Amino acid sequence: MIIVLKNGHENIIDEIKSRFTETNEVFVHNNRVAIQGISEDELNAEEKNAIDLIIDNVPAAVQGSRLFHPEDTIVTTPHSQIGGDHFTMMAGPCSVESAEHVMKMAKVAKSGGATILRGGAFKPRTSPYSFQGLGEDGLKFLRAAADDMDVLTEVMDQDHVAMVEQYTDIFQIGARNMQNFSLLKAVGKTQTPVMLKRGMSATIDDILNAAEYIAAGGNHNIIITERGIRTFDNKYTRNTLDVGAVPVLQKLTHYPVILDPSHAAGHTEFVTPEALAGVAVGASGLVVEIHDDPAHAFSDGAQALKPDEYLAMAQQAFAIRKVITTPTQEKSEVKL
C-alpha cells in the first residue's frame, strides 16, 4: 500500500514509521509512504485524516515504481548526469586489452561525446577457455585512461565489490548476473551507481524486481539497460532488441533506461540502426563497444564499431536526440 499525504501533514510520517517499521517494510519518498503488508483498516483516525490518496494496487518492486517515486531519478557521477532530460553516451572496448589500447579507445570515445568509458576487466564468457579479462590490472588501466571521464566496468562476484569500487564510478551488472541476488545485495550496500542489464530471458517485471534488490539495500542510484533478449530467432542477430521495453520501463519506473545495441545486434552492421532506434524511442543514453581492430579483439570483436563508425553513429544519435526533445514551436495546419 502507498499512502499519499496531504500537504502540511508530513509530521505523520514519523508516527507511521514508529508504528510499523518493526513488523513491516516501510519506505518514504517526500509525502509518499509505502508500507508492505497492511490494509487501510490498520491506520488510526489521525493517520487517515492526513491522507490525500491510498494506492492499493502496488507492484512488488515498489521502490522503483513511479507510483511511489513519480519524478525521474537522475544518477549523478563526477562527469555525467544520467536520466531526466540528459542524454549520456558510454563507449569503450569490450575488454581492457592493454594500457595503451584502452587509452587509445578512451580518446575515441570522448571525441564522440562519451562522458563514460566502458571496459571489462573481469569478463563472463560462454566458454571457460575464452579470455577472462586482465583483472585488477585491467581496472588500473581503465581508470588511468578515463582521465576526465567516468568509468563503467562489470563486477561479477560479491567478493570483488570492494576492490572494483576503488576504480569505477558505475558498477555494471551483466545480463548473466541480473538475478545473482547475493551480488545485487552487495552492490545495494554501496552508494556507487549500478547499471543493471536485462537478462537474456528476463521479463520487464524480472528486471524491475532485480533492481528492487539493489534499492532494498539502500542504493537508489540505479540505471536499467535493455540489451536484447533471447528469442526463437538468433540466426541473424545475437539477440532480439526489445526496443519497446524502453518506453514501457520509463512508464513503470523512475530509474534511467539506456540501450546497449552492441550486445543486441552482435554484428557491427546492425549496431548503428539499433542504436538510433533506441534514441528515437527516448532512451536516456547508449552504451556501445568500440575497437580499432575488431578482427583481433580479445572479445566480441564482431559487434564492435570501428572509430569512424562510432563517430558517425554518435553524431546521428545526438542529432536524433535533439530533434525528439526540441519543442515544436508551431503546429502546421492541414487543409483538406
Side-chain angles (χ1 to χ4, degrees):
M1 179 173 69
I2 296 174
I3 298 168
V4 183
L5 297 171
K6 298 174 184 175
N7 290 333
H9 288 74
E10 289 79 4
N11 60 303
I12 295 296
I13 291 175
D14 289 336
E15 178 185 329
I16 293 174
K17 288 172 67 177
S18 66
R19 288 217 303 127
F20 294 104
T21 297
E22 289 188 8
T23 55
N24 304 83
E25 296 284 355
V26 180
F27 308 111
V28 177
H29 177 68
N30 295 336
N31 67 330
R32 296 181 181 233
V33 183
I35 312 174
Q36 304 279 51
I38 74 162
S39 66
E40 184 179 352
D41 294 338
E42 295 175 67
L43 300 173
N44 62 37
E46 184 182 12
E47 291 162 351
K48 289 179 179 179
N49 185 56
I51 292 172
D52 182 47
L53 176 68
I54 291 179
I55 304 171
D56 287 318
N57 188 16
V58 177
V62 62
Q63 292 193 78
S65 169
R66 283 200 185 271
L67 294 173
F68 174 67
H69 189 302
E71 68 277 8
D72 291 341
T73 283
I74 298 175
V75 176
T76 301
T77 56
H79 304 287
S80 310
Q81 287 188 297
I82 308 157
D85 295 330
H86 305 282
F87 181 77
T88 310
M89 185 68 73
M90 312 176 189
C94 176
S95 298
V96 178
E97 300 178 1
S98 68
E100 295 75 20
H101 185 260
V102 72
M103 186 73 72
K104 187 177 182 180
M105 291 301 97
K107 292 178 181 178
V108 173
K110 185 176 179 180
S111 66
T115 58
I116 299 173
L117 176 64
R118 60 138 295 140
F122 296 92
K123 298 300 299 179
R125 306 302 300 281
T126 302
S127 169
Y129 309 115
S130 299
F131 176 66
Q132 304 289 312
L134 296 179
E136 189 168 7
D137 283 343
L139 292 174
K140 292 176 181 178
F141 299 156
L142 188 64
R143 183 74 267 173
D147 190 22
D148 57 351
M149 302 170 71
D150 297 312
V151 166
L152 164 68
T153 195
E154 183 161 3
V155 59
M156 291 175 51
D157 189 291
Q158 65 189 90
D159 295 334
H160 289 168
V161 169
M163 185 260 288
V164 174
E165 190 176 24
Q166 297 177 54
Y167 302 97
T168 196
D169 298 292
I170 306 171
F171 287 122
Q172 175 181 304
I173 303 294
R176 292 175 174 86
N177 270 325
M178 190 204 80
Q179 290 180 312
N180 181 340
F181 299 122
S182 296
L183 179 57
L184 299 180
K185 290 177 181 178
V187 296
K189 293 176 182 177
T190 77
Q191 286 305 305
T192 298
V194 181
M195 189 179 84
L196 179 66
K197 288 195 170 187
R198 184 181 180 185
M200 290 175 282
S201 301
T203 65
I204 298 285
D205 284 338
D206 287 339
I207 191 167
L208 291 175
N209 284 319
E212 196 75 2
Y213 268 86
I214 301 169
N219 188 350
H220 300 98
N221 296 306
I222 299 168
I223 305 157
I224 293 178
T225 303
E226 165 58 37
R227 44 79 72 201
I229 53 177
R230 187 68 55 83
T231 69
F232 55 86
D233 189 355
N234 64 347
K235 181 178 179 180
Y236 301 105
T237 59
R238 181 171 178 174
N239 294 289
T240 299
L241 179 64
D242 186 3
V243 72
V246 174
V248 170
L249 283 164
Q250 288 172 330
K251 177 182 178 181
L252 297 173
T253 185
H254 52 91
Y255 301 131
V257 181
I258 68 168
L259 190 126
D260 174 356
S262 301
H263 284 87
H267 302 279
T268 300
E269 63 184 305
F270 304 130
V271 172
T272 291
E274 295 197 4
L276 301 183
V279 179
V281 297
S284 292
L286 296 173
V287 53
V288 296
E289 294 184 356
I290 58 175
H291 202 287
D292 57 334
D293 186 10
H296 296 96
F298 287 12
S299 61
D300 284 351
Q303 64 197 35
L305 294 175
K306 292 181 180 179
D308 59 335
E309 295 169 331
Y310 159 70
L311 295 174
M313 180 280 296
Q315 185 178 30
Q316 292 175 294
F318 282 111
I320 292 173
R321 177 70 179 186
K322 184 177 181 180
V323 168
I324 66 172
T325 56
T326 300
T328 302
Q329 299 299 320
E330 296 181 5
K331 294 183 179 180
S332 59
E333 293 184 4
V334 178
K335 296 181 180 180
L336 300 177

